[in-house]
């Protein structure tokens, strides 16, 4: 799956996301290099690329044609000629591409090979893909099968449709906290709101290669998914008050992870909400980090180790 620049305004916005906070906790040096100095790009793995497609396939299906182009594996040309075709499709002249690819054959021989039917087909597909992400037909079929299982087994979705709940897919939220002046942002996979606002569910779908629930719990710990739960719940609480002029108590907002296998039979491992004690600890971690981050941004002092806010903070129920 090729990586194309995503011009979505949400991703261009400089507000602080929970993933940025996690990067800051992991390494202040890495954070500064990526987000401040712009020296280093965030690593965009195949898993992350598939994750974006998987989420769009689930929640923004009608936008797929504007963001992606599907390419059969048999259409993709590998080796040095494939590299040559990619460079030419990106606007590099054929003569320059010939040199950059390091062909030992003559330019005329390269040009003759480029004009072959299968190579021209690949070239034209790349031109069609300008500004889009190339998705293999294999990845598309995996996402299709995953969605069929997700739709059949997701009781939250079934209840919402049956009982007339409001459903907000891929909902962007911009908000601020009461302990930092930094602007925050989040993007929920799906938000369900009951008609009387007595219950709110935030859904986060995770495509995973974990074999069982125990392995996924370890994944939660390894990638600090626990931070996401309280961050999103507080953000959605703020968004509901702003959008609907309704204050929903924090305890009426549920956050659920839906880990789903990316291999046959594409089963959902479980519906998981992190326990209150772990949620409180994660809240303390990310709010302390956010205060430290604001200090670093304000003073340009990135060597400070100790939290600029001492003591534990209970989760603020309403901001």
């Amino acid at each position: 799956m090729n990586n194309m620049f995503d011009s979505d305004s949400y991703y261009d916005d400089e507000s602080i996301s929970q993933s940025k906070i996690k990067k800051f906790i992991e390494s202040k040096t890495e954070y500064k290099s990526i987000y401040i100095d712009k020296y280093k790009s965030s690593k965009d793995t195949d898993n992350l690329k598939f994750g974006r497609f998987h989420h769009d396939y689930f929640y923004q299906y009608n936008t797929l044609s504007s963001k992606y182009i599907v390419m059969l594996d048999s259409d993709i040309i590998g080796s040095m000629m494939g590299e040559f075709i990619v460079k030419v499709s990106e606007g590099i002249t054929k003569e320059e591409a010939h040199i950059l690819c390091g062909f030992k054959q003559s330019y005329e021989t390269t040009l003759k090979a480029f004009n072959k039917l299968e190579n021209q087909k690949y070239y034209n597909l790349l031109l069609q893909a300008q500004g889009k992400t190339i998705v293999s037909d294999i990845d598309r079929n995996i996402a299709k099968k995953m969605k069929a299982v997700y739709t059949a087994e997701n009781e939250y979705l079934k209840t919402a449709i049956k009982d007339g709940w409001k459903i907000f897919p891929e909902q962007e939220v911009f908000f601020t906290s009461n302990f930092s002046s930094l602007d925050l942002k989040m993007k929920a996979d799906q938000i369900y709101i009951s008609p009387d606002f007595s219950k709110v569910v935030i859904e986060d779908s995770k495509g995973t290669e974990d074999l069982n629930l125990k392995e996924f719990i370890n994944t939660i710990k390894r990638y600090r998914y626990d931070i996401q739960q309280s961050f999103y719940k507080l953000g959605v609480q703020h968004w509901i008050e702003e959008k609907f002029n309704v204050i929903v108590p924090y305890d009426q907002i549920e956050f659920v992870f839906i880990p789903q296998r990316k291999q046959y039979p594409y089963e959902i491992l479980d519906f998981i909400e992190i326990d209150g004690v772990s949620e409180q600890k994660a809240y303390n971690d990310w709010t302390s980090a956010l205060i430290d981050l604001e200090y670093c941004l304000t003073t340009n002092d990135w060597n400070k180790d100790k939290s600029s806010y001492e003591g534990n903070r209970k989760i603020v129920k309403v901001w």
Side-chain angles (χ1 to χ4, degrees):
M1 191 180 292
N2 288 9
N3 181 31
M4 296 289 185
F5 177 73
D6 191 337
S7 61
D8 190 317
S9 60
Y10 173 83
Y11 296 104
D12 294 341
D13 187 274
E14 295 291 336
S15 298
I16 307 300
S17 64
Q18 57 95 22
S19 58
K20 283 187 178 181
I21 294 174
K22 288 192 287 190
K23 175 57 68 176
F24 181 80
I25 292 173
E26 177 187 330
S27 169
K28 292 182 181 181
T29 302
E30 285 278 304
Y31 183 97
K32 185 173 184 290
S33 178
I34 294 171
Y35 299 113
I36 307 302
D37 301 328
K38 312 292 185 182
Y39 289 152
K40 185 177 180 180
S41 299
S42 297
K43 190 176 180 181
D44 204 5
T45 65
D46 286 341
N47 281 338
L48 288 175
K49 296 169 195 174
F50 177 79
R52 284 197 295 271
F53 177 68
H54 150 234
H55 281 81
D56 283 337
Y57 198 97
F58 274 37
Y59 303 111
Q60 296 285 333
Y61 186 82
N62 292 337
T63 71
L64 290 180
S65 61
S66 65
K67 295 181 180 180
Y68 303 94
I69 185 168
V70 176
M71 189 175 292
L72 300 175
D73 283 356
S74 58
D75 290 334
I76 298 174
I77 305 298
S79 69
M80 200 174 290
M81 176 51 63
E83 182 184 353
F84 174 84
I85 295 170
V86 169
K87 290 185 182 301
V88 174
S89 73
E90 292 172 347
I92 297 175
T93 66
K94 297 182 182 68
E95 292 87 348
E96 289 176 316
H98 175 78
I99 295 170
L100 290 172
C101 290
F103 282 110
K104 294 182 179 180
Q105 64 193 26
S106 68
Y107 170 67
E108 289 72 20
T109 301
T110 299
L111 196 61
K112 184 177 180 180
F114 173 71
N115 288 327
K116 288 184 178 179
L117 183 62
E118 65 270 21
N119 292 334
Q120 283 296 299
K121 180 180 179 181
Y122 182 47
Y123 173 67
N124 288 325
L125 284 171
L126 290 176
L127 291 181
Q128 293 174 38
Q130 295 293 329
K132 298 182 180 181
T133 298
I134 297 173
V135 179
S136 73
D137 60 322
I138 295 174
D139 282 341
R140 178 186 58 181
N141 289 335
I142 289 173
K144 181 179 180 180
K145 292 171 183 175
M146 287 177 67
K147 186 174 182 179
V149 173
Y150 160 88
T151 303
E153 297 184 8
N154 189 341
E155 295 301 326
Y156 294 96
L157 178 62
K158 293 178 183 178
T159 297
I161 293 173
K162 178 173 68 73
D163 296 341
W165 290 32
K166 297 178 179 67
I167 303 176
F168 299 90
E170 291 285 293
Q171 181 60 53
E172 299 173 3
V173 175
F174 297 88
F175 61 110
T176 55
S177 74
N178 66 342
F179 50 81
S180 167
S181 63
L182 296 179
D183 293 326
L184 308 177
K185 67 176 182 178
M186 52 157 285
K187 190 172 186 179
D189 287 350
Q190 195 135 274
I191 302 172
Y192 306 103
I193 304 176
S194 65
D196 61 357
F197 291 88
S198 63
K199 188 171 183 181
V200 176
V201 178
I202 308 166
E203 172 183 300
D204 191 77
S205 178
K206 300 288 189 189
T208 182
E209 296 178 0
D210 292 332
L211 297 175
N212 51 51
L213 186 57
K214 182 178 179 180
E215 286 190 10
F216 183 74
I217 296 299
N218 290 330
T219 297
I220 289 177
K221 296 174 181 177
R222 184 166 63 252
Y223 293 108
R224 293 305 310 265
Y225 290 163
D226 54 343
I227 286 175
Q228 186 176 355
Q229 180 163 306
S230 60
F231 188 92
Y232 274 40
K233 286 167 74 172
L234 290 167
V236 168
Q237 184 185 51
H238 174 93
W239 171 73
I240 290 175
E241 181 179 0
E242 186 178 75
K243 183 176 179 64
F244 300 104
N245 197 30
V246 174
I247 296 176
V248 177
Y250 183 88
D251 295 335
Q252 289 177 201
I253 303 175
E254 181 180 354
F255 183 97
V256 59
F257 290 109
I258 306 180
Q260 183 176 5
R261 295 259 299 148
K262 292 188 287 186
Q263 292 84 19
Y264 180 84
Y266 311 104
E267 73 271 24
I268 291 175
L269 299 179
D270 205 343
F271 296 85
I272 304 169
E273 184 171 17
I274 294 170
D275 67 271
V277 173
S278 299
E279 181 179 14
Q280 177 66 64
K281 182 183 182 302
Y283 174 85
N284 288 335
D285 288 346
W286 76 257
T287 53
S288 294
L290 187 65
I291 293 168
D292 283 351
L293 175 57
E294 183 169 22
Y295 172 87
C296 292
L297 292 171
T298 303
T299 64
N300 200 31
D301 176 7
W302 295 85
N303 298 313
K304 187 173 182 295
D305 293 326
K306 194 175 182 181
S307 172
S308 52
Y309 187 99
E310 296 301 327
N312 292 331
R313 291 175 297 289
K314 289 187 176 180
I315 294 176
V316 182
K317 302 302 184 182
V318 178
W319 290 5

